[in-house]
Amino acid sequence: MAIEGVDLVKAAALLGAGLSMGLGAIGPGVGEGMAAAKACEAIGRNPKEAGLLTRTMLVGQAVAESTGIYSLVIALLLLFVV
Amino acid sequence: MTLLGMDNLALTHTAAFIGGALAMGLGAIGAATGEGYTASRASEAIARSQENAGDIIKNMLVGQAISESASIFSLVVAILLLFMDITDPGIAKAASLLAAGLCMGFGAIGSGVGAGIPAGRSCLAIARQPAISGRITTNMLIGTAVCQTPAIFAMVVALILLFKPTGDLAAFPTCAALIGAGLSTGLAAIGSGYGGGMAAGASCEGVSRQPETATAVTTTMLVGQAVAQTPSVFGLLISFVLMFRSFPESTALSASVGLLSAGLCMGLGGIGPGIGNGMTAEGAVRWVARRADYAGDLMRIMLVGQAVSQSTAIYAMVVSLVLIFVV
């Protein structure tokens, strides 16, 4: 199995895309889950504020999502641009 | 075609032995940790309530037996790998057997640890409410059984990889696709197994604190666990695509690495959302037990929160599918 330069670079880009999105998905998944768990707790303590708490949770999760989106962007750049 | 100058039969046996060792070595981590947690909680429970030691020990042993099942799956796959007849040796078969070991080894970790959590919490729950120990054990059994699902997915993929005929497949890139298939289900099962355990643990505690809310608690637990299983279902989907799609022969490194990367991406990407969904379900179940009158609101916020936490697993699946079908 002969490996040429261009082939090696492409292989590295594909592996990089998989690792970028795969590893990058771990943090937001756990972090957003934590935010949602605490939102459940907060609604349990104060059910009247459910609307405000849901909004706060979603804003917090959206920020936590950002690193997952960076990973997706980098993965897509590695797949289609570089 | 041969690899490293080894003849194909030697290569295939080498891969099978390494796969068997990995299946059992990795597969022992989860069950041992989970059962240790169960035993520690059982000791605590007996210290609090000596007169119920019999019920607590019975519950501990039942819980540990279920937590053990993930590593028994690993043992079965490892024994099959060590003693199976290899009829079509080759690079693809070698990769398939190694992948079977990796898939079952990684796949047993989450379920073993996860099932230990409700088993341990239910021992404490019996110490708190000995009068409803039957109800608590039933709830624990339902919860731990669902925790085993990811390990069962891993076993299904491992068995398919073990017995899949590879004779007429192109060695490259099929070998990389099969290893990717093993990693996808195996790694994604870690998060789902552990996450399902967190939800089940909270429900055992909830049932003992507020026995009258038991139905709402068990329902919330099951819904939460079902969503926490989704990343491992995505992992299973990518594995099936990688196992059953036939890839045109190509000795280019990039063709093989792309398929391996697809499996790795979905496998790693499933870990975080599985754990996150489990955390969310744990929080929701705990508060449904305390405020059963708001069970509907709590279920709604749990599902919204889990859906957002799921998004990165969906990105990982999209990238995996692009790696398989587009580039």
Side-chain angles (χ1 to χ4, degrees):
Chain A
M1 192 168 163
I3 298 168
E4 289 163 22
V6 180
D7 188 28
L8 184 65
V9 170
K10 186 167 182 218
L14 297 183
L15 185 63
L19 287 176
S20 161
M21 191 62 245
L23 293 171
I26 297 177
V30 175
E32 288 163 21
M34 246 181 223
K38 289 293 172 187
C40 291
E41 181 182 333
I43 288 180
R45 288 188 199 272
N46 191 353
K48 288 193 185 59
E49 293 294 344
L52 176 65
L53 290 166
T54 308
R55 255 197 328 274
T56 311
M57 177 192 82
L58 286 174
V59 173
Q61 285 183 320
V63 178
E65 182 78 19
S66 59
T67 54
I69 294 174
Y70 299 160
S71 301
L72 179 66
V73 170
I74 294 295
L76 293 177
L77 284 175
L78 281 167
L79 287 176
F80 295 115
V81 181
V82 179
Chain B
M1 189 182 280
T2 57
L3 199 68
L4 308 173
M6 284 168 93
D7 75 273
N8 278 336
L9 191 62
L11 177 74
T12 312
H13 274 298
T14 308
F17 293 157
I18 295 175
L22 287 174
M24 195 60 247
L26 293 169
I29 297 175
T33 311
E35 288 167 35
Y37 177 84
T38 308
S40 77
R41 292 293 166 242
S43 307
E44 197 180 329
I46 292 175
R48 285 189 196 172
S49 145
Q50 285 93 333
E51 62 281 11
N52 297 304
D55 272 353
I56 293 170
I57 290 178
K58 197 173 67 197
N59 183 75
M60 175 191 83
L61 288 173
V62 173
Q64 285 180 321
I66 298 186
S67 171
E68 185 80 22
S69 59
S71 71
I72 294 176
F73 299 161
S74 296
L75 182 66
V76 170
V77 169
I79 290 178
L80 282 171
L81 278 166
L82 296 189
F83 296 110
M84 71 186 300
D85 282 331
I86 292 169
T87 49
D88 50 349
I91 293 173
K93 190 70 191 171
S96 182
L97 297 180
L98 181 65
L102 281 172
C103 180
M104 192 62 246
F106 282 123
I109 296 177
S111 294
V113 179
I117 300 172
R121 297 270 183 88
S122 62
C123 291
L124 284 174
I126 290 176
R128 193 180 293 124
Q129 291 277 8
I132 53 160
S133 72
R135 183 75 186 78
I136 292 169
T137 305
T138 310
N139 188 73
M140 182 270 285
L141 286 174
I142 299 172
T144 45
V146 180
C147 287
Q148 295 304 323
T149 330
I152 294 171
F153 290 166
M155 187 173 64
V156 168
V157 171
L159 290 176
I160 293 174
L161 284 166
L162 275 177
F163 297 111
K164 184 177 159 58
T166 53
D168 51 351
L169 296 173
F172 293 96
T174 306
C175 63
L178 295 175
I179 292 182
L183 288 174
S184 171
T185 300
L187 291 172
I190 296 177
S192 294
Y194 184 60
M198 293 168 92
S203 83
C204 292
E205 194 180 322
V207 167
S208 75
R209 284 187 194 272
Q210 267 88 23
E212 67 282 2
T213 63
T215 312
V217 166
T218 309
T219 311
T220 313
M221 170 192 83
L222 284 173
V223 174
Q225 282 187 314
V227 181
Q229 304 301 329
T230 331
S232 70
V233 177
F234 294 164
L236 190 66
L237 173 83
I238 295 293
S239 289
F240 274 105
V241 173
L242 284 169
M243 284 190 295
F244 293 116
R245 187 162 190 262
S246 68
F247 298 97
E249 170 142 34
S250 159
T251 52
L253 183 66
S254 53
S256 295
V257 170
L259 296 172
L260 178 67
S261 175
L264 207 53
C265 178
M266 186 63 245
L268 291 171
I271 298 177
I275 296 176
N277 284 341
M279 281 178 175
T280 308
E282 183 185 24
V285 167
R286 178 173 296 142
W287 283 87
V288 165
R290 297 188 190 176
R291 303 293 302 259
D293 44 336
Y294 289 101
D297 282 345
L298 285 164
M299 176 90 85
R300 198 164 58 237
I301 188 98
M302 174 186 83
L303 288 173
V304 173
Q306 285 182 319
V308 179
S309 156
Q310 198 75 258
S311 59
T312 49
I314 296 172
Y315 300 163
M317 186 172 65
V318 170
V319 170
S320 292
L321 290 173
V322 168
L323 278 164
I324 297 170
F325 290 106
V326 183
V327 291

